[in-house]
Amino acid sequence: MFGALKRSLLRQARLASGPRDTQCVSGPRDTRTQTPWRHTAQTRACAGTPAAPHLRRDCLVLNYEGTSMHLNYVWLRDHCRSASSYNSKTNQRNLDTGSIDLNIRPDSSSVEDGHLVLTWPGGHVSKYSLSWLAENSYEGKKQSTVQPRILWNSDMYKNANVPSAKWDTFMSCDDELKKFLQNYLLYGIAFVDDVPATVEATEAVTQRVSLIRETTYGRMWCFTSDFSRGDTAYSQLALDRHTDTSYFQEPCGIQVFHCLKHEGTGGRTLLVDGFYAAEKLRQQSPENFELLARVPIRHEYIENTDNHRNHMTGIGPLLNVYPWNDELYLIRYNNYDRSVINTIPHDTVRRWYVAHQELTTELRRPENELWVKLTPGKVIFIDNWRVMHGRESFTGLRQLCGCYLTRDDVLSAARCFGLQA
């Protein structure tokens, strides 16, 4: 878990024009100097002529621009991009992986014109771009960031002056959509202003970004504080910071809110960058971070009203990291919906509560709270795998509409614009 801890701590990011050139800049500042910690991902120590490949008993070793790659022979044969092995039009594999001899070994190897060339028993020839190998080797992925992000507290976000998209331009201009997606990827939140205050316009602006994910709450939902569902959100009460649908096995990826009307006081929306707080925890108490990333717990939603009956359960750790580079990619935090803790052995329970309390302390620091007054026309998109939301109590009639979006389709749209996601 901690082999790449120094690289992973407090990751912040800056997108360049395309995914291959993207840099990752560590996020939270050193409080002693207020100078950002910086780390550049996907760079190489040096350039030059690649060393000749070395055929070992179980793998091929190749040095390329400062990276030493260990490439398994079955892996190399499986990833051959020849016409017989791979369909370049559909980007799908033709080769039957299950038929590869697990003891296969190339008869010869060479480097020619920036490519590794292998000749296999039987005469089949495979060619691999050295840059492709460097990018897709385990060693390359371990050094790179899956999704660059800028971690923030309230002042950091305000000082960044992140612009909102404008409805008219957003709906007609791909450049505006690309800028919106870039901001969403970096900060975990993004806004569209001047949207007509209707459910129909809100639906249209969300579909410009992704597909709508239908859940037990419906497709597009519009609600007030009428307690029509078995959820505290359908009240005038304050809500502490949380992620939604923690009780889904795969929590919803994007949360969309649009306040259509509010005739009263209060009701500001609270936003907290959960990754900022989690990386603070990783820096201060790596053992507590590791515990929250390792131990699975249950979240549960039980609804039994006249019109709705649901019983949903989601199981997973509070923090989720990619195992090859320790990059945080999902936080599942909802104290309202956390179920009975019965998946942790006795000798771990107290340690889990200590770790949870330390994370909660970070999440509740006032300097980490970004308060936004949602008004008719302002639509917010929230990365529900990263940014927590809540609200202050309110009076009067407050009508909101919104939906959940499928995360995969948002990321797909970003990648089609050449953004790293």
Side-chain angles (χ1 to χ4, degrees), residues 28-178:
R29 299 170 183 267
D30 185 330
T31 55
R32 296 167 298 178
T33 63
Q34 292 298 304
T35 300
W37 293 38
R38 294 187 176 271
H39 166 72
T40 302
Q42 294 190 346
T43 60
R44 305 297 174 192
C46 61
T49 303
H54 176 57
L55 296 178
R56 293 187 178 176
R57 180 182 60 82
D58 58 346
C59 69
L60 181 146
V61 179
L62 180 64
N63 293 311
Y64 178 69
E65 295 194 348
T67 295
S68 179
M69 298 175 283
H70 293 71
L71 306 171
N72 176 271
Y73 294 133
V74 178
W75 184 93
L76 285 165
R77 185 63 187 90
D78 184 44
H79 289 85
C80 175
R81 291 306 191 245
S82 67
S84 62
S85 301
Y86 187 79
N87 188 328
S88 59
K89 292 183 179 180
T90 64
N91 296 297
Q92 291 177 302
R93 180 179 283 102
N94 290 331
L95 178 67
D96 177 16
T97 303
S99 68
I100 300 175
D101 180 359
L102 296 180
N103 296 312
I104 196 170
R105 190 176 188 274
D107 288 336
S108 65
S109 64
S110 62
V111 173
E112 303 172 9
D113 298 325
H115 288 77
L116 171 68
V117 181
L118 300 179
T119 301
W120 301 97
H124 182 81
V125 176
S126 300
K127 295 180 65 175
Y128 315 83
S129 164
L130 296 180
S131 60
W132 184 91
L133 288 173
E135 181 181 350
N136 289 285
S137 67
Y138 174 78
E139 291 85 357
K141 285 301 178 185
K142 189 175 182 180
Q143 297 178 50
S144 66
T145 301
V146 175
Q147 183 180 319
R149 297 177 172 93
I150 295 177
L151 308 187
W152 50 268
N153 61 19
S154 179
D155 285 344
M156 289 175 179
Y157 184 81
K158 291 175 181 177
N159 292 336
N161 293 316
V162 183
S164 298
K166 302 299 181 183
W167 157 261
D168 288 340
T169 311
F170 182 78
M171 296 300 292
S172 60
C173 176
D174 283 349
D175 284 343
E176 188 78 350
L177 175 58
K178 180 179 179 179

Side-chain angles (χ1 to χ4, degrees), residues 246-263:
S246 54
Y247 40 78
F248 285 2
Q249 199 55 39
E250 181 183 289
C252 291
I254 289 86
Q255 168 84 73
V256 179
F257 286 121
H258 187 187
C259 183
L260 303 180
K261 180 189 297 185
H262 185 195
E263 299 170 349

Side-chain angles (χ1 to χ4, degrees), residues 6-9 11-12 23-26 37-42 143-145:
K6 182 177 180 181
R7 180 184 65 257
S8 301
L9 288 178
R11 185 173 278 114
Q12 197 178 26
Q23 291 184 323
C24 172
V25 183
S26 301
W37 293 38
R38 294 187 176 271
H39 166 72
T40 302
Q42 294 190 346
Q143 297 178 50
S144 66
T145 301

Side-chain angles (χ1 to χ4, degrees), residues 237-356:
L237 300 174
L239 295 176
D240 192 27
R241 62 227 69 200
H242 63 279
T243 58
D244 268 18
T245 61
S246 54
Y247 40 78
F248 285 2
Q249 199 55 39
E250 181 183 289
C252 291
I254 289 86
Q255 168 84 73
V256 179
F257 286 121
H258 187 187
C259 183
L260 303 180
K261 180 189 297 185
H262 185 195
E263 299 170 349
T265 61
R268 289 183 303 163
T269 295
L270 168 64
L271 301 166
V272 177
D273 187 351
F275 285 7
Y276 178 93
E279 293 292 1
K280 282 286 191 181
L281 174 66
R282 172 148 51 181
Q283 183 187 41
Q284 297 163 4
S285 302
E287 68 286 351
N288 285 340
F289 180 99
E290 190 274 339
L291 184 67
L292 295 181
R294 175 173 54 84
V295 176
I297 61 168
R298 298 170 67 239
H299 288 79
E300 193 169 35
Y301 178 61
I302 301 175
E303 183 182 32
N304 189 3
T305 67
D306 292 339
N307 299 317
H308 301 282
R309 289 174 60 87
N310 288 288
H311 189 168
M312 299 181 182
T313 296
I315 301 174
L318 257 65
L319 306 176
N320 293 259
V321 299
Y322 295 123
W324 62 88
N325 67 354
D326 293 337
E327 180 181 340
L328 182 64
Y329 69 88
L330 184 154
I331 183 168
R332 188 193 299 253
Y333 183 97
N334 190 315
N335 205 51
Y336 300 102
D337 295 328
R338 183 162 43 77
S339 185
V340 175
I341 294 181
N342 51 21
T343 56
I344 307 176
H346 167 72
D347 58 358
T348 307
V349 170
R350 187 181 186 282
R351 290 174 51 217
W352 187 91
Y353 276 113
V354 170
H356 179 271

